Amino acid sequence: MEVHRTCTELQPVCGTGERHAGRLDETTSAGRPDVDALMGAARTVLDGEGVDLVTIDMPVALTAIRKRREADSAVSVKFGSKGCSTHSPSEVRPGEIGRALTERFKELGYPVATVETPVGTTYVLAEIYPHPALLELLGKDFRYKYKISRANEYWPEKSAADRRRRIVKNWRKIIDELELTIGKIELPLPAKAELETCASTSLKRFEDAIDALVGGWVGIKYLEGDCTAYGDESSAIWIPPKTT
């Protein structure tokens, strides 16, 4: 979870969403996100202030998700040629966890934001997708190489240690760009010496933290009115910048 004054970004538990996976650590219960604990933690970080916006890196909708949505198709049409297509959600993923999470946020006054929601509207649950957001953040034309699980695909000819170094270098680039908007980010990344012998799987938590920070940045862009909703009246994926 990333808090930036009025924006909280929620990363779902690993395995609950096909497209995105993350960690909630102390804010989970038996593999389920504890929405009330998340919001309480956010208010604590915000010195008691309320949360204006929640961004979530997982498929959500006003109706039950059973198959590929218009939101998924619209993003794939727009960003597929740039390597940023979406996977198809199903009744199983995000499944019951996704339904319970969405319902609880609605009960707390944060309904899912759709294409009918004016950009910048507060007190909503806005779905985001880090990959196309990074295109805008970094000024790139194709999917950025920052997923540790895909390092072998990115650089098959390199050693495992070299692939880890390249991933961490790309993470630092993301953090540098985010700091221009968010301010100083305290996320100590592994040193080069550590990358020689560490397991690549041990680096996943850093990737998750960066995804959360990107979600917070998208929330800032949304609140500034600089996001576009891709989807329909039941769900939308919010991606900067705003298009006409």
Side-chain angles (χ1 to χ4, degrees):
M1 181 180 67
E2 169 60 21
V3 178
H4 188 272
R5 299 308 305 168
T6 56
C7 178
T8 297
E9 201 281 337
L10 172 63
Q11 282 280 88
V13 175
C14 183
T16 63
E18 177 68 22
R19 191 182 71 225
H20 316 295
R23 300 166 61 126
L24 291 175
D25 301 322
E26 294 84 1
T27 53
T28 66
S29 176
R32 293 173 178 268
D34 187 332
V35 172
D36 293 275
L38 283 165
M39 298 303 281
R43 285 190 293 271
T44 297
V45 172
L46 296 173
D47 296 325
E49 294 183 25
V51 174
D52 291 342
L53 171 69
V54 179
T55 59
I56 184 167
D57 184 6
M58 185 180 79
V60 294
L62 295 177
T63 56
I65 298 176
R66 295 189 173 90
K67 60 182 180 179
R68 190 169 181 82
R69 306 165 299 163
E70 174 59 28
D72 306 302
S73 297
V75 169
S76 294
V77 168
K78 178 68 176 181
F79 298 100
S81 63
K82 299 181 179 182
C84 298
S85 294
T86 65
H87 292 284
S88 295
S90 68
E91 193 167 1
V92 177
R93 293 174 179 263
E96 178 55 35
I97 289 179
R99 287 190 289 273
L101 182 150
T102 304
E103 182 60 30
R104 183 55 183 152
F105 272 115
K106 179 181 177 181
E107 292 171 353
L108 294 175
Y110 298 84
V112 172
T114 72
V115 294
E116 296 180 341
T117 306
V119 63
T121 299
T122 53
Y123 303 105
V124 295
L125 179 64
E127 179 182 344
I128 62 96
Y129 182 18
H131 276 300
L134 283 170
L135 300 180
E136 174 69 10
L137 176 69
L138 302 173
K140 300 293 183 180
D141 294 321
F142 199 78
R143 183 179 180 131
Y144 196 55
K145 298 176 180 180
Y146 82 108
K147 291 293 183 180
I148 189 63
S149 64
R150 301 189 67 179
N152 291 358
E153 300 174 36
Y154 298 152
W155 307 288
E157 75 287 358
K158 301 298 182 181
S159 68
D162 192 23
R163 289 193 290 264
R164 289 191 290 268
R165 286 192 292 269
R166 288 167 180 261
I167 288 289
V168 172
K169 180 180 178 181
N170 286 354
W171 288 346
R172 288 196 173 95
K173 174 63 176 176
I174 295 171
I175 290 172
D176 288 345
E177 291 298 322
L178 287 171
E179 286 186 330
L180 297 178
T181 300
I182 295 176
K184 183 64 175 176
I185 295 172
E186 299 293 342
L187 180 60
L189 297 177
K192 287 184 178 180
E194 297 176 63
L195 297 175
E196 292 296 325
T197 58
C198 73
S200 294
T201 53
S202 69
L203 302 178
K204 183 64 168 65
R205 60 195 178 97
F206 296 100
E207 178 190 304
D208 292 339
I210 288 171
D211 274 340
L213 288 165
V214 172
W217 176 77
V218 174
I220 293 169
K221 302 297 285 184
Y222 169 93
L223 291 171
E224 293 175 345
D226 193 21
C227 271
T228 298
Y230 296 87
D232 56 20
E233 68 282 352
S234 65
S235 65
I237 300 173
W238 294 86
I239 301 169
K242 183 175 177 59
T243 59
T244 55

